[in-house]
């Protein structure tokens, strides 16, 4: 291209494509958030976008020597991306029934019940409560997996904070309490081990037939120097579940521990 029209159009379309990729449609028409309100990730994305635009402008003299067919391919692809972005960001696309997502099923059932005049609105919305419970359960699972990943990377303090939040929200959360107690027992301080006992004791009172809780509490008591209480905990559990092999092995190992030496006579 002797006039360099195609390279200039290609670079211009590339700059416009990056601007459209960075912009987000707002429901109230206010546009994107100002730079001072953006998160660190958003500011990093803006910095990367500007560097890509700078590279596109700087590379224009070198790319001007490329064949015209290559610029036609790039320009056509960029124009198609721009058209797609403008179309999907338009109000028509966001309100079109084939492009916008349908309402949740519990809202559809509520609307049907109101239109037909049958039943109670609260009954129709009962599926919404079930959906909310499902969302909370999913969020709990995500936080459990997050804490486990933090612990695997060696970030024990951050993992313990996640577990503490879960236990504070629901003291009967067995997985969170066991994860927190495991991290506390891995520390060297006696205060942390005593805290592990405090976390597990309410669970033991509520779930007497739960093997994991009984074994974890016995281990915490033994680490805290309270071997007799650990033995009593395992004995009570073995009485409730005499066929539990793992608990019987743990109790036998605890009973076979060496006795402390007798105090010397004055």
């Amino acid at each position: 291209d002797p006039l360099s029209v195609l390279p200039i159009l290609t670079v211009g379309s590339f700059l416009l494509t990056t601007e459209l990729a960075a912009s987000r449609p707002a429901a109230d028409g206010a546009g994107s958030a100002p730079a001072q309100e953006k998160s660190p990730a958003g500011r990093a994305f803006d910095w990367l976008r500007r560097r890509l635009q700078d590279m596109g402008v700087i590379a224009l003299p070198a790319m001007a020597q490329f064949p015209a067919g290559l610029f036609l391919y790039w320009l056509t692809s960029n124009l198609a991306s721009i058209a797609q972005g403008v179309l999907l960001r338009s109000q028509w696309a966001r309100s079109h029934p084939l492009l916008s997502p349908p309402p949740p099923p519990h809202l559809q059932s509520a609307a049907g019940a109101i239109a037909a005049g049958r039943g109670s609105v609260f009954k129709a919305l009962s599926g919404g409560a079930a959906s909310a419970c499902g969302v909370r359960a999913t969020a709990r699972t995500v936080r459990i997996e997050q804490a486990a990943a933090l612990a695997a990377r060696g970030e024990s303090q951050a993992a313990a904070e996640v577990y503490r939040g879960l236990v504070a929200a629901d003291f009967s959360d067995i997985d969170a309490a066991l994860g927190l107690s495991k991290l506390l027992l891995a520390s060297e301080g006696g205060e942390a081990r005593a805290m592990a006992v405090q976390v597990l004791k309410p669970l033991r009172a509520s779930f007497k037939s739960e093997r994991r809780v009984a074994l974890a509490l016995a281990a915490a008591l033994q680490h805290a120097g309270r071997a007799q209480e650990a033995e009593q905990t395992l004995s009570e559990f073995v009485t409730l579940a005499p066929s539990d092999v793992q608990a019987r092995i743990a109790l036998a190992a605890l009973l076979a521990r060496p006795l402390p030496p007798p105090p010397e006579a004055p």
Side-chain angles (χ1 to χ4, degrees), residues 142-164 166 175-176 178-187:
V142 170
R143 295 189 67 188
I144 288 286
E145 293 177 353
Q146 177 190 7
L150 289 171
R153 293 201 301 264
E155 302 178 22
S156 302
Q157 187 172 359
E161 289 300 326
V162 177
Y163 283 133
R164 283 195 186 97
L166 291 170
D175 293 329
L178 292 177
L180 178 58
S181 64
K182 183 178 179 181
L183 292 176
L184 293 173
L185 291 178
S187 62

Side-chain angles (χ1 to χ4, degrees), residues 185-228:
L185 291 178
S187 62
E188 297 296 334
E191 183 179 354
R193 297 174 181 178
M195 190 181 299
V197 175
Q198 295 177 1
V199 169
L200 293 171
K201 270 199 168 182
L203 278 183
R204 175 60 183 156
S206 301
F207 303 97
K208 291 186 177 296
S209 59
E210 177 63 41
R211 180 185 64 184
R212 294 183 300 165
V213 175
L215 293 176
L217 178 57
L221 289 169
Q222 188 175 5
H223 279 81
R226 299 155 64 177
Q228 292 183 352

Side-chain angles (χ1 to χ4, degrees), residues 14 32 45 60 72 79 87 95 106 121 123 137-139 149 155 175 180 189 215 218 227 238 240 245 252 260-261:
F14 168 74
S32 58
F45 178 79
L60 178 59
L72 283 175
L79 291 178
L87 178 63
S95 60
H106 63 276
V121 176
K123 184 177 180 180
T138 303
E155 302 178 22
D175 293 329
L180 178 58
L215 293 176
V238 169
L240 294 174
V245 178

